[in-house]
Amino acid sequence: MAKEREKEQSKETAISRRDFLKGMGTGAVAATVAPIVLVGTEKSAEAQMGEEITRAKIKLNINNRLYEVEVEPRTTLLSVLRDGIDTSGKRIDLTGAKPICDRGECGGCTIQVDGKVIYSCMMLALDAQGKQITTVEGLANGDKLHPVQEAFIQHDALMCGFCTPGFVVAAKSLLDENPSPSLAEIKEGLAGNTCRCGTYPFIFEAVKTASRKLKDPLRKIGG
Ligand code: FES
Ligand code: FES
C-alpha cells in the first residue's frame, strides 16, 4: 500500500517536478499548469547561480476554504500547509501534517486530495490547484471530533503523537473506501504510515472502533 501510494504519486508529480528542475521557462510552466498567475521573479541563491526562480500566485481549496498563495514551482503542498502565507498576509498554519522524512516514506504528512490519501511532501502545491484538500484539521465538525479521532483518544493510540495526524487521516481514508476492514486490511491500509513509538496495536483497535461507530453513529464509542 505504501509503495502503491508512492508509485501513484510519483507518476502524478514526475512530469512537473522534472520539468521544473530542468529550469523550464515561464511560458512552459503556464502552459502545463493552468490556471497560474505569474507574479514576477525573485532573485535567490539559484538565481545567483544562473537559474531564475519564478513565483506563481495560485488558489488552493483547503478544508473547504479558499487560500491564495504565492509559491515557487518546487514548493510542496506540505510546505504551503505549514508555512504558506496567503495573499492577505495571514499564515495558513495547518501544522497537523508533519515533515518527518520529507521523501514519501513515513506517512507523517498524510492528507487527502480529492478523497485520495496522499503524502503532501510528495505533491507540488501547483499540482493541487482545483482539488479538494483535506487535512487532519478539516476532519472535525466544529467541536465534534471525527469518530476516528475519538477512537484514537479512547484507545490511547498515541505516545509522542508525531505520527498521529497522518495515521488519523490514513485511517479515515481507509474507512471511506472500506467501512468494514478486517485486521489484515487495516494493517494493509495503514502500511504507508510509520509509528516509531510502536503504538500499532492501539491504532488498529482504534480503527476497528471507528468502523463500528461510523456504521452505527448512535453506538456509544467503545461499544
Ligand atoms: S514527511 Fe511525507 S512521507 Fe514522511
Ligand atoms: S506516537 Fe510517537 S511516532 Fe507514533
Side-chain angles (χ1 to χ4, degrees), residues 136-176:
V136 72
E137 291 90 346
L139 299 189
N141 183 3
D143 289 341
K144 175 81 182 135
L145 292 178
H146 188 279
V148 171
Q149 294 171 308
E150 289 181 334
F152 266 66
I153 294 169
Q154 185 211 332
H155 287 279
D156 266 340
L158 62 148
M159 285 181 75
C160 75
F162 219 64
C163 69
T164 311
F167 266 104
V168 166
V169 176
K172 190 251 178 200
S173 298
L174 167 66
L175 295 174
D176 286 348

Side-chain angles (χ1 to χ4, degrees), residues 76-97:
T76 64
L77 182 51
L78 175 62
S79 167
V80 169
L81 293 173
R82 296 181 58 86
D83 303 317
I85 296 177
D86 74 14
T87 46
S88 69
K90 201 165 173 287
R91 202 183 168 105
I92 295 181
D93 207 25
L94 293 171
T95 54

Side-chain angles (χ1 to χ4, degrees), residues 7 46 65 78 81 85 101 109 129 166 174 193 204 212:
K7 242 191 265 166
E46 285 83 353
R65 184 175 154 192
L78 175 62
L81 293 173
I85 296 177
C101 69
C109 64
Q129 290 177 97
L174 167 66
N193 294 66
F204 300 151
R212 290 194 291 270

Side-chain angles (χ1 to χ4, degrees), residues 5-88:
R5 199 192 297 179
E6 210 180 314
K7 242 191 265 166
E8 268 184 45
Q9 271 195 248
S10 326
K11 254 191 264 155
E12 280 173 17
T13 57
I15 295 170
S16 45
R17 205 180 270 273
R18 192 166 50 241
D19 290 346
F20 292 133
L21 289 175
K22 277 183 181 166
M24 285 178 71
T26 54
V29 171
T32 53
V33 189
I36 286 181
V37 181
L38 296 175
V39 290
T41 59
E42 184 175 277
K43 295 283 179 193
S44 63
E46 285 83 353
Q48 288 163 24
M49 289 167 68
E51 276 189 55
E52 208 162 81
I53 301 290
T54 303
R55 296 177 69 83
K57 193 181 280 186
I58 61 172
K59 288 189 179 138
L60 296 177
N61 182 341
I62 309 169
N63 300 330
N64 293 319
R65 184 175 154 192
L66 211 55
Y67 294 87
E68 189 174 52
V69 284
E70 268 186 44
V71 296
E72 291 181 4
R74 64 184 173 177
T75 306
T76 64
L77 182 51
L78 175 62
S79 167
V80 169
L81 293 173
R82 296 181 58 86
D83 303 317
I85 296 177
D86 74 14
T87 46
S88 69

Side-chain angles (χ1 to χ4, degrees), residues 98-102 104-107 109 119 121:
K98 300 286 185 282
I100 304 176
C101 69
D102 208 24
E105 287 180 359
C106 72
C109 64
Y119 296 138
C121 70

